[in-house]
Amino acid sequence: ANGYANGKVVKSFGGGICQASSTLYNSVLLADLKVTERVNHMFTVSYVPYGMDATVSYGEVDFQFENSSKWPIKIEAWTTEDNMVFFRIKGTNDNPNRKVEYIQNIIKTMDFPINYIDDPNLPEGTNIVKQYGSKGHVVETYKVVKEGGDVISQDKIHTSVYSPLYQEVIRGTKKVDKVEGNNSDAQPGTPEEDVLSSEVPQLTGVDDADNPPATIQGGIFEPETSELLEDAAETESDSE
């Protein structure tokens, strides 16, 4: 499956495993259990909201939590035929009126850089996107505790820093003679300005092999609209 390595999207063994660890992480948060180790991805992922992912890399980065309740818990996990993965945590609810929610504030957004690779075999004016880029973000995640519909606390649990993933474009440099009419063999390319301004799709099903800790880098900007996590923990898996 796809994974992140050295700033690129590559095929790798274990790619996609973070979709399972991130789904379990969301279940743990909604169950209000204590998280002892969690690291965000180097780049953003699409299968959970920003600030709600938990990456794992064997022997390097792990996701860990404790049963901080007073009673035993049971963890159930399953997948469906349409590649959905689910986690359910069962236990004893000592306070049925208590509910936890999680809100994410994007406090900084960083544009992705574009790297050009000149290809003398492609006609001048041709641009081929080899790797789509994604923007970087700094995201604060808050835990909101409610009782009977009233907010009794709101605390920041962590800050996630996602680096921009650069876009890689192959650019043709071969000089071609202008031919009148429609008899030219040269294939039209994407103008450079179109590559710079075009919207790029969100990468799906990618996990990172080199993951930095969730620390703030750079200045702080005004927060954008918050996103509220739904009361379910599920994600769509692109891996086999």
Side-chain angles (χ1 to χ4, degrees), residues 18-19 21-22 25 38-41 48 52-56 63:
C18 294
Q19 297 179 52
S21 62
S22 294
Y25 174 58
R38 173 264 176 188
V39 179
N40 64 269
H41 287 79
V48 290
M52 299 297 288
D53 58 312
T55 186
V56 291
F63 163 57

Side-chain angles (χ1 to χ4, degrees), residues 4-221:
Y4 285 138
N6 299 320
K8 293 185 177 182
V9 180
V10 298
K11 294 291 184 180
S12 62
F13 291 106
I17 189 62
C18 294
Q19 297 179 52
S21 62
S22 294
T23 306
L24 177 58
Y25 174 58
N26 280 255
S27 295
V28 168
L29 290 180
L30 291 173
D32 201 15
L33 300 178
K34 181 181 179 181
V35 176
T36 58
E37 183 177 353
R38 173 264 176 188
V39 179
N40 64 269
H41 287 79
M42 176 179 288
F43 309 109
T44 57
V45 294
S46 63
Y47 43 81
V48 290
Y50 298 163
M52 299 297 288
D53 58 312
T55 186
V56 291
S57 180
Y58 185 75
E60 297 179 5
V61 180
D62 200 4
F63 163 57
Q64 297 185 19
F65 65 96
E66 294 179 1
N67 177 12
S68 52
S69 71
K70 300 177 182 178
W71 311 99
I73 61 173
K74 178 182 180 181
I75 301 175
E76 297 177 343
W78 69 95
T79 59
T80 61
E81 293 183 354
D82 56 347
N83 281 341
M84 299 289 289
V85 58
F86 291 82
F87 281 87
R88 178 186 291 135
I89 298 178
K90 292 183 176 181
T92 301
N93 190 351
D94 287 326
N95 190 349
N97 293 325
R98 177 186 173 95
K99 183 179 180 181
V100 293
E101 298 175 351
Y102 294 88
I103 297 175
Q104 300 80 43
N105 281 330
I106 299 177
I107 61 175
K108 183 179 180 181
T109 297
M110 299 157 279
D111 288 332
F112 57 82
I114 300 178
N115 293 346
Y116 288 95
I117 303 173
D118 291 337
D119 188 336
N121 297 314
L122 288 177
E124 190 176 39
T126 300
N127 291 309
I128 300 174
V129 179
K130 183 179 179 182
Q131 173 179 280
Y132 285 101
S134 63
K135 292 182 179 181
H137 299 283
V138 179
V139 182
E140 292 181 340
T141 301
Y142 290 84
K143 174 183 177 181
V144 181
V145 179
K146 296 181 178 180
E147 285 190 5
D150 297 326
V151 176
I152 62 173
S153 67
Q154 179 172 313
D155 301 298
K156 185 174 72 173
I157 61 172
H158 57 239
T159 301
S160 303
V161 178
Y162 302 98
S163 300
L165 174 66
Y166 71 86
Q167 183 159 299
E168 195 170 67
V169 179
I170 301 175
R171 177 171 56 189
T173 59
K174 181 180 179 181
K175 299 292 184 180
V176 293
D177 296 330
K178 293 183 178 180
V179 179
E180 297 182 358
N182 299 323
N183 297 325
S184 174
D185 293 332
Q187 297 295 321
T190 303
E192 182 172 318
E193 57 270 19
D194 288 345
V195 174
L196 289 170
S197 61
S198 63
E199 292 292 330
V200 297
Q202 172 66 47
L203 298 170
T204 60
V206 285
D207 293 319
D208 180 26
D210 300 310
N211 305 291
T215 56
I216 292 182
Q217 299 175 355
I220 302 301
F221 289 73

Side-chain angles (χ1 to χ4, degrees), residues 226-238:
S226 300
E227 298 180 39
L228 182 64
L229 181 68
E230 297 293 337
D231 289 332
E234 60 184 65
T235 186
E236 183 172 0
S237 172
D238 295 326

